[in-house]
Amino acid sequence: MAFNKSNLNEKIDELKPKFIERLRSAVEIPSVSGDESLRPQVVKTAEFLQKELIALGAQDIELRELGTQPPPVANKDLQLPPIVLSRFGKDPSKKTVLVYGHYDVQPAALEDGWNSDPFKLVEKNGVLYGRGSSDDKGPVIGWLNAIQAHKELGLELPVNLITVFEGMEESGSLGLDELIKKEANGYFKGVDAVTISDNYWLGTEKPVLTYGLRGVNYYEIEVSGPNADLHSGLFGGIVSEPLNDLVKLLANLVDGQGKILIKGIDEQVAPLTEKEDKIYDDIEFDVKVLNDATGSETALYNDKKSILQHRWRYPSLSIHGIEGAFAEAGAKTVIPAKVKGKFSIRTVPNIESNKLTELVIKHVEEHFATLKSPNQLKVGLIHDGDYWLSDPFNENFTAARKATKAVWGIEPDLTREGGSIPITLTFEKELKTSVLLLPIGRGDDGAHSTNEKLDLSNYIEGVKTQSAYLHYYAQGEK
Amino acid sequence: MAFNKSNLNEKIDELKPKFIERLRSAVEIPSVSGDESLRPQVVKTAEFLQKELIALGAQDIELRELGTQPPPVANKDLQLPPIVLSRFGKDPSKKTVLVYGHYDVQPAALEDGWNSDPFKLVEKNGVLYGRGSSDDKGPVIGWLNAIQAHKELGLELPVNLITVFEGMEESGSLGLDELIKKEANGYFKGVDAVTISDNYWLGTEKPVLTYGLRGVNYYEIEVSGPNADLHSGLFGGIVSEPLNDLVKLLANLVDGQGKILIKGIDEQVAPLTEKEDKIYDDIEFDVKVLNDATGSETALYNDKKSILQHRWRYPSLSIHGIEGAFAEAGAKTVIPAKVKGKFSIRTVPNIESNKLTELVIKHVEEHFATLKSPNQLKVGLIHDGDYWLSDPFNENFTAARKATKAVWGIEPDLTREGGSIPITLTFEKELKTSVLLLPIGRGDDGAHSTNEKLDLSNYIEGVKTQSAYLHYYAQGEK
């Protein structure tokens, strides 16, 4: 039987009660990867997915073990949760799509302020509440639902589908990079496109497709002087204090309007083209959304374009704190002997990490020289992760755009995000393919917060979108 | 029998073995006031002193109870250690001297790097090692030794003597202020002079008398914006970050050469007179002493006078740290929502606390206004303690100077200290009398450190100095 949009959508609507039950079963297992004592529950969730995949007729199902979790852990023999691999079809005449999601969740407890048990799915006024409902059990189960709808219709999947569901996403995705590298020419050989459903609409009304993420370079400035902390009564006024040097260095990194003061960075940023600028015209967003999110009137820009562009396609510099100084409540009259200032720069095309680090070190060292301080300076990179930028008009995105339009009746906004999802880059680099971020939930789902929810409409229309995407991708560009 | 210096000194030399044994008995009781579990040992030390005072013929001996220790404490019913009060003589024709010291000590453990058990007095190469040997059991026992020497010579004390020995000095002198206020017209009625032996020579060669202490005003600058911490990936570059404002405010308080940038403070500092400046000429000190103390080459001045004057008679400003920002090791990409910068200003004559606070607030608020930040600013005083300055040429100090010259054969240096000893001011204010700081130990005694020591010569010559001081003070100015 050939693809018929309305048949498929009708079937999905018909199966709604079953889809809710499937999500309910998944939410009920408290698969908190950050809580060692709940590790058996994380494993249990993998086994639940395995059972579902068997019922749906998947092939080559594996709970791929990743070994023990590296320190710091309380239990030295703690096993990492397995990655659930499976495959639907291996037809060489079809394209192959890899879908990724995670079945572990953030911690949650009723006492945190939940209106109901976070590990019981509650349906209320068309909204499904529960930990993991949106992040990321809903989207993961969504793919299974899409497969079930095809199966019950007797409709063949239009592509070969590979599922990769991991159980450590909320805890650093330990082991996933290695698996992707290892299986690039094994289990994942021949993958044409990757789809990740693990982010959110920008707002609450309009679907989006996400085609970019900023990277991050994290730096530390260490200033040291005396060989131990000093008493400010005895030494205040007669020694050069490292913390005094450090605040001057930190104060000279970014101005109050968010402009980075380190020379040479702006020149590395890809110019804004007219075409790119136009993408922002129709995006649903407003300064009020930002102020609501921060609970304050602290926005640096009032217009939609400036806000979104500075969040997505321009670098930013944030100071995070100081290690080694007095940080408690109350008063302590210490002169700290060695202090480390921490800041990071969010990176965007075409900033090169090494070049950026050179500029940062030069800037801080030159400023420190003007202080004529007898203290010792060290400045360096702690870690870096690249930005990611895809072509939102490629075959993968085009299929997702068509699917969204078909289901929601509207063109999705093309968005980027200010944070990073490192696994996106790993898939792109190792499988040498396009990666699409296809969010299911809304911007106000409260992914890591209390009363996490997934609107029932997003859940069901999401299954339709995921299904349609596979068909449009199979059909190709036109 | 009349006062005869050489008789008294001979008797003190003769009693040396007994004096060492008395200090040994005191050091053996681990009276750590900061360790709740050792509170019975602190009380035991008070009882030891009581027994010694009885044997020496003291009158009106009291272990004055101070009630339970206020929170935070693990044991809600923890009793404060008593203050040991006693009196030798009540002759209205004699002057009355109050001597203060403390019998509690800092924590100490062999594992910290002591060469021997800190609670066993060890004599080695003319040095007595042990916790409390110098801070402050040595000086406290010194007064008892002086009384014993008089008693064994059949020599009447030249003054009425009141002893005030407390057991909470290392833990905030809880209860002492109230006791002084309460007994100003009671137990302490008629006190003509107060002597505190609880500080140190500036160096290791030359005795000193201390006539001044700096005060301290502690300030907090709070900058707040969003209603919760934000993720720098999502919000970096589009909101005004409180910590960015704060480092700019902190960077504008004091320059790298120690000059305070807040206008109007310099004008409040008492001008350096020629007479005062001359006091510094003969003081034994060197930049090397400072660099040795900090284990670095971070001194802001190379000449003795500049160092000492900036430590003792000029204000200084130190930044202590930031509350509310990321302060751990490692990397966290947080934008802190509310941060509090802490700094203090060491005050000197004639800075008035209220006036200083006005200047600080004005300076910070004006600078904040230039930042045009949408964040909220609060700046205020957390606590203040006055500076103290005595006349080093008054009757009390003159007696101590004569005593020092008689015992050590040299004029003592007249010093001040950069820190504060709040009890000094309380005695002066409540008893309306002169307070003298008469140190016994040397600058390298390691009061709060490992291998605390008191040179045997300082101990014994200290007893002679304490004794002679009482006689010179009884004789009066000439």
Side-chain angles (χ1 to χ4, degrees), chain B residues 1-4 8 88-91 93-94 146-147 149-160 467 470-471 474:
Chain B
M1 186 179 154
F3 171 49
N4 174 311
L8 191 57
F88 290 86
K90 217 178 173 172
D91 183 341
S93 72
K94 287 182 182 171
I147 294 162
H150 280 80
K151 199 173 174 230
E152 297 213 358
L153 273 178
L155 181 67
E156 206 178 295
L157 282 176
V159 295
N160 302 315
S467 302
L470 297 178
H471 286 275

Side-chain angles (χ1 to χ4, degrees), chain A residues 241 248 251 254 318 320 334 342, chain B residues 241 248 251 254 318 320 330 334:
Chain A
E241 305 185 10
K248 292 189 196 323
V254 56
S318 295
H320 307 298
V334 66
K342 323 253 180 150
Chain B
E241 305 185 9
K248 293 189 196 322
V254 57
S318 296
H320 307 298
V334 66

Side-chain angles (χ1 to χ4, degrees), chain A residues 180-195:
Chain A
I180 295 170
K181 280 174 202 164
K182 191 176 163 201
E183 296 299 341
N185 287 305
Y187 205 109
F188 305 152
K189 194 171 163 70
V191 165
D192 295 291
V194 172
T195 300

Side-chain angles (χ1 to χ4, degrees), chain A residues 202-252:
Chain A
L202 184 58
T204 59
E205 305 277 333
K206 206 169 164 192
V208 311
L209 302 178
T210 305
Y211 69 100
L213 299 165
R214 293 196 291 187
V216 61
N217 276 28
Y218 204 102
Y219 295 99
E220 201 171 81
I221 303 176
E222 177 187 301
V223 184
S224 58
N227 65 0
D229 286 358
L230 302 175
H231 187 288
S232 69
L234 299 177
F235 295 96
I238 58 173
V239 300
S240 177
E241 305 185 10
L243 183 51
N244 190 28
D245 292 343
L246 181 61
V247 294
K248 292 189 196 323
L249 298 175
L250 293 175
N252 189 39

Side-chain angles (χ1 to χ4, degrees), chain A residues 36-305:
Chain A
E36 288 186 34
S37 71
L38 290 174
R39 186 60 51 90
Q41 301 294 330
V42 187
V43 175
K44 196 176 157 191
T45 312
E47 288 161 356
F48 164 81
L49 291 172
Q50 181 183 36
K51 210 185 63 188
E52 296 290 313
L53 288 164
I54 291 169
L56 292 168
Q59 306 141 281
D60 302 346
I61 304 173
E62 280 189 45
L63 298 195
R64 182 69 69 92
E65 294 299 336
L66 302 170
T68 55
Q69 186 165 331
V73 277
N75 169 8
K76 279 196 316 181
D77 301 320
L78 187 72
Q79 289 289 314
L80 287 167
I83 289 174
V84 183
L85 299 174
S86 81
R87 185 193 301 284
F88 289 86
K90 218 177 170 176
D91 182 345
S93 73
K94 289 184 183 171
K95 293 180 188 164
T96 300
V97 173
L98 182 154
V99 298
Y100 160 92
H102 65 91
Y103 61 84
D104 63 321
V105 296
Q106 282 280 317
L110 195 56
E111 309 86 78
D112 296 344
W114 284 73
N115 295 328
S116 56
D117 182 342
F119 296 105
K120 299 277 175 222
L121 193 75
V122 171
E123 185 184 345
K124 200 175 155 184
N125 302 327
V127 179
L128 302 167
Y129 293 93
R131 175 55 90 221
S133 56
S134 184
D135 181 21
D136 187 40
K137 286 175 173 173
V140 163
I141 300 295
W143 291 114
L144 304 190
N145 296 340
I147 295 161
Q148 185 186 2
H150 281 79
K151 198 171 175 233
E152 299 213 358
L153 272 178
L155 181 67
E156 205 179 296
L157 282 178
V159 295
N160 302 314
L161 195 71
I162 292 176
T163 71
V164 180
F165 300 142
E166 75 154 323
M168 275 303 271
E169 198 274 343
E170 302 294 0
S171 302
S173 287
L174 302 177
L176 181 57
D177 267 0
E178 292 71 16
L179 176 99
I180 295 170
K181 280 174 202 164
K182 191 176 163 201
E183 296 299 341
N185 287 305
Y187 205 109
F188 305 152
K189 194 171 163 70
V191 165
D192 295 291
V194 172
T195 300
I196 298 178
S197 289
D198 187 22
N199 64 320
Y200 311 92
W201 292 359
L202 184 58
T204 59
E205 305 277 333
K206 206 169 164 192
V208 311
L209 302 178
T210 305
Y211 69 100
L213 299 165
R214 293 196 291 187
V216 61
N217 276 28
Y218 204 102
Y219 295 99
E220 201 171 81
I221 303 176
E222 177 187 301
V223 184
S224 58
N227 65 0
D229 286 358
L230 302 175
H231 187 288
S232 69
L234 299 177
F235 295 96
I238 58 173
V239 300
S240 177
E241 305 185 10
L243 183 51
N244 190 28
D245 292 343
L246 181 61
V247 294
K248 292 189 196 323
L249 298 175
L250 293 175
N252 189 39
L253 295 172
V254 56
D255 76 10
Q257 279 61 54
K259 186 178 160 42
I260 298 175
L261 302 173
I262 300 162
K263 286 198 190 75
I265 296 182
D266 285 351
E267 290 81 344
Q268 289 189 59
V269 176
L272 180 69
T273 63
E274 219 170 294
K275 183 181 173 193
E276 187 194 337
D277 192 55
K278 270 180 98 78
I279 293 179
Y280 291 84
D281 284 334
D282 296 325
I283 294 179
E284 179 210 312
F285 193 80
D286 191 271
V287 65
K288 193 177 171 306
V289 179
L290 173 57
N291 284 336
D292 285 353
T294 68
S296 65
E297 303 276 329
T298 57
L300 288 172
Y301 306 95
N302 277 313
D303 63 296
K304 176 178 79 174
K305 269 197 181 182

Side-chain angles (χ1 to χ4, degrees), chain B residues 42-177:
Chain B
V42 187
V43 175
K44 196 176 158 189
T45 311
E47 289 160 355
F48 164 80
L49 291 172
Q50 181 184 34
K51 212 185 63 189
E52 295 289 316
L53 288 164
I54 290 170
L56 292 169
Q59 304 140 283
D60 304 345
I61 303 173
E62 281 187 46
L63 298 194
R64 183 70 68 92
E65 293 299 337
L66 302 170
T68 55
Q69 185 165 333
V73 277
N75 170 7
K76 279 196 314 178
D77 301 320
L78 188 69
Q79 290 288 314
L80 288 167
I83 290 175
V84 183
L85 299 174
S86 80
R87 185 192 302 285
F88 290 86
K90 217 178 173 172
D91 183 341
S93 72
K94 287 182 182 171
K95 292 179 188 162
T96 299
V97 173
L98 183 156
V99 299
Y100 161 91
H102 65 90
Y103 62 84
D104 64 318
V105 297
Q106 282 281 318
L110 194 56
E111 309 86 78
D112 296 342
W114 284 73
N115 295 327
S116 55
D117 183 343
F119 296 106
K120 299 277 175 222
L121 192 76
V122 170
E123 185 183 346
K124 199 174 154 185
N125 301 328
V127 179
L128 302 167
Y129 293 93
R131 176 54 91 220
S133 57
S134 184
D135 180 22
D136 185 37
K137 286 175 172 172
V140 162
I141 301 294
W143 291 113
L144 304 189
N145 297 340
I147 294 162
Q148 184 185 3
H150 280 80
K151 199 173 174 230
E152 297 213 358
L153 273 178
L155 181 67
E156 206 178 295
L157 282 176
V159 295
N160 302 315
L161 195 70
I162 292 175
T163 71
V164 179
F165 300 143
E166 73 153 329
M168 275 303 272
E169 198 275 342
E170 302 293 3
S171 301
S173 288
L174 302 178
L176 181 57
D177 268 1

